[in-house]
Amino acid sequence: MRVRAYRFRAYSSKTTARVLETQLEVACKLYNTLLHAEQEEYERNKHSMSRNDLRQLALDTRRQNPEFQVLYAQVAQQVADRFYEARQRFFDGLGNKPKVKKPYQYLSLVYPQHGWKLSNWREVGRGKNKKRRARLRLSKIGFFTLIIHRDLPLEQVSQVCVKLYPSGRIYVIFTVEEPETQEQTLDEPAKVVGVDLGIEKLATLSDGRYLENPKPLERSLERVKTIQRALSRKKFLSGNWFKSKRRLAKEYEHVKNLRRDLFFKLGVLLAKDYDVLVLEDLDVQGLIQKGVTRTRRMRLYDSSFLEIRALLEWEFRKRGKLVFPVPAYNTSRECFFCGRVNKDLTLADRVFVCPECGWTVDRDLNASLVLPKRAGWVPPAVPVELRPIPPLPTLGLVGRQGGALKQEAPPFRAG
Ligand SMILES: [Zn+2]
């Protein structure tokens, strides 16, 4: 079974939002209580509590302490599950030891089976904009209005999560379990594409197409910087500081949404044309070996790099197509034609010239050609000219409403 999440924006009254905030704080406290109980138990008896022990403990704590009774019982149980899973990850060597959580780190509640209900379905919007609106009742919290902008297989929902974002927005995430797609068997020669991710060109494809860093994204990044500066001038923890903090969180979410949207679309575009996607497998070791230039590149890309990869992969896997991560070491400095590594190439060189065979090509294109070669597919030897992918359908719409987009923004500087 594969898990798929459907996320919808949720709107609520101020009172309900405040109830949610209080409950998050309580859940956080419960989490920490469990953590301490587990630590004590371990010190005393050298024994780690099982999932059921922890669940029972959560329920008992809830029963004995009126403060915790504001939580729905299953939600309290799920807090225990969350701690159990964090601890399990630590035992398996996949994560750090669970630590005491601060309220701002605890931002979601999960209703595993019951305690939620959707009602009052209604059609809203016209034409292409047609969506459905529904009312969600979460036990012990209250009512939310959801805009259901895509089909939700309601019978298969296995859990519901309500999440408060740092910007103050609330989202509801439905988890749906669905059967795995069969991987396609590749009898006929597969169509392969290599994708190199970068900054100036967000993605360069081995067929010569590339995706430029879109303007709305650049401008958002610029705005992030401005707010960041404003925030640093505010008095720490003052009213204005919190205001800036929230504005910053909002801007970050905007950038994130933009990027997600863009890369989902790129994923769809690629998955339609190709059977196999070859990407750089970025591992820490590789990064260290690559030294300064790549580090700089990574810092700019930070965590979203992994996300972008995950999004592209998802679009391929969903269709039963293949994704090949290949070692990223030296992809941008290796000559596609003869395989020689051009050590003198710096980040400033936009064109790759091989000192050995004279192969001259755009640097990112060279990298995207090297990728499929490393995966065992040899793309056509002489690629077509670089040409931009025409703007993806809705990018024009995602900018801020009204004037903000039209204003002349200062040019984006990379670093
Ligand atoms: Zn060469």
Side-chain angles (χ1 to χ4, degrees):
M1 285 307 247
R2 189 175 58 186
V3 176
R4 195 161 170 176
Y6 290 77
R7 190 179 70 152
F8 303 107
R9 178 84 186 270
Y11 300 87
S12 74
S13 66
K14 274 192 181 149
T15 327
T16 312
R18 218 166 295 136
V19 172
L20 175 63
E21 264 174 58
T22 325
Q23 293 214 2
L24 286 169
E25 275 168 37
V26 173
C28 179
K29 210 166 171 185
L30 181 59
Y31 184 95
N32 293 335
T33 311
L34 293 174
L35 182 108
H36 288 135
E38 155 87 16
Q39 276 172 351
E40 258 174 47
E41 171 72 11
Y42 187 77
E43 270 159 35
R44 220 178 294 147
N45 304 326
K46 294 278 167 249
H47 158 256
S48 302
M49 283 191 264
S50 71
R51 186 192 283 265
N52 280 337
D53 291 344
L54 284 164
R55 280 184 175 180
Q56 198 51 52
L57 181 63
L59 288 182
D60 291 344
T61 317
R62 179 177 176 272
R63 206 167 297 132
Q64 286 151 16
N65 193 334
E67 191 193 356
F68 293 127
Q69 274 159 26
V70 296
L71 293 176
Y72 185 65
Q74 284 199 351
V75 171
Q77 240 176 9
Q78 203 278 334
V79 174
D81 284 358
R82 204 179 286 195
F83 172 68
Y84 174 80
E85 269 147 32
R87 199 197 62 190
Q88 230 37 42
R89 272 198 302 277
F90 167 63
F91 285 163
D92 296 343
L94 296 171
N96 290 326
K97 198 172 175 182
K99 278 186 286 195
V100 172
K101 276 196 195 285
K102 303 241 166 55
Y104 69 83
Q105 294 171 314
Y106 207 99
L107 293 171
S108 62
L109 298 175
V110 173
Y111 286 72
Q113 287 146 17
H114 308 289
W116 61 275
K117 201 181 168 204
L118 278 168
S119 61
N120 285 27
W121 289 86
R122 208 179 293 168
E123 297 263 333
V124 288
R126 264 189 220 133
K128 250 181 101 182
N129 240 340
K130 214 170 234 169
K131 293 166 198 152
R132 292 202 294 168
R133 196 171 69 182
R135 221 158 123 84
L136 173 72
R137 184 178 171 271
L138 291 177
S139 284
K140 297 256 185 184
I141 299 180
F143 288 98
F144 296 89
T145 303
L146 303 189
I147 303 295
I148 312 285
H149 59 273
R150 54 192 286 215
D151 286 332
L152 172 67
L154 208 53
E155 314 75 48
Q156 293 160 35
V157 173
S158 59
Q159 65 174 34
V160 177
C161 169
V162 56
K163 186 165 180 181
L164 176 70
Y165 278 59
S167 62
R169 290 181 184 138
I170 300 169
Y171 287 88
V172 172
I173 301 144
F174 295 89
T175 307
V176 169
E177 279 173 13
E178 54 181 39
E180 201 88 42
T181 345
Q182 286 279 307
E183 253 186 33
Q184 276 176 9
T185 40
L186 298 169
D187 299 331
E188 35 192 301
K191 283 191 277 181
V192 183
V193 67
V195 176
D196 179 63
L197 300 171
I199 289 162
E200 258 141 83
K201 301 190 193 80
L202 278 186
T204 312
L205 319 184
S206 55
D207 63 5
R209 289 185 291 175
Y210 68 89
L211 183 66
E212 235 163 328
N213 196 350
K215 289 260 150 44
L217 187 59
E218 285 177 23
R219 286 173 194 181
S220 278
L221 288 171
E222 197 59 44
R223 210 152 31 216
V224 162
K225 275 189 206 161
T226 319
I227 305 171
Q228 194 83 265
R229 269 196 300 271
L231 179 70
S232 70
R233 283 195 297 267
K234 302 279 187 289
K235 191 165 171 266
F236 187 55
L237 296 183
S238 68
N240 279 329
W241 184 85
F242 275 113
K243 229 190 257 170
S244 284
K245 191 88 182 155
R246 186 159 291 188
R247 200 176 303 145
L248 185 63
K250 228 174 227 178
E251 202 59 54
Y252 269 129
E253 275 168 31
H254 184 67
V255 173
K256 200 175 167 186
N257 291 343
L258 261 176
R259 252 207 277 248
R260 272 180 79 86
D261 178 62
L262 182 63
F263 277 90
F264 267 127
K265 285 187 180 117
L266 181 67
V268 172
L269 192 108
L270 290 177
K272 259 192 225 150
D273 292 356
Y274 294 98
D275 306 314
V276 181
L277 172 71
V278 186
L279 286 167
E280 291 172 276
D281 188 15
L282 285 168
D283 58 333
V284 182
Q285 201 53 44
L287 283 181
I288 297 166
Q289 285 169 338
K290 282 199 158 178
V292 193
T293 53
R294 192 46 90 96
T295 321
R296 234 182 92 195
R297 198 170 141 180
M298 269 310 282
R299 201 172 297 138
L300 283 159
Y301 250 93
D302 56 62
S303 55
S304 65
F305 207 99
L306 289 173
E307 195 191 354
I308 287 160
R309 233 193 71 183
L311 297 183
L312 292 182
E313 273 192 53
W314 160 246
E315 288 298 336
F316 271 72
R317 292 248 155 86
K318 192 164 75 177
R319 292 169 173 78
K321 299 184 168 185
L322 296 175
V323 179
F324 259 83
V326 294
Y329 182 52
N330 264 349
T331 41
S332 54
R333 294 198 283 179
E334 183 183 309
C335 172
F336 160 69
F337 213 76
C338 68
R340 198 193 128 120
V341 175
N342 183 356
K343 284 241 155 56
D344 305 325
L345 199 76
T346 64
L347 196 66
D349 296 332
R350 299 315 308 165
V351 176
F352 181 92
V353 183
C354 179
E356 187 85 13
C357 68
W359 163 261
T360 306
V361 72
D362 178 87
R363 156 210 189 92
D364 298 322
L365 181 57
N366 180 61
S368 72
L369 284 165
V370 170
L371 292 171
K373 195 177 162 194
R374 282 195 185 175
W377 281 275
V378 181
V382 181
V384 277
E385 293 251 310
L386 265 187
R387 61 189 186 282
I389 296 174
L392 295 169
T394 56
L395 251 186
L397 299 172
V398 276
R400 286 288 159 81
Q401 311 90 343
L405 258 181
K406 288 182 202 117
Q407 273 169 26
E408 224 17 82
F412 172 64
R413 287 179 305 274

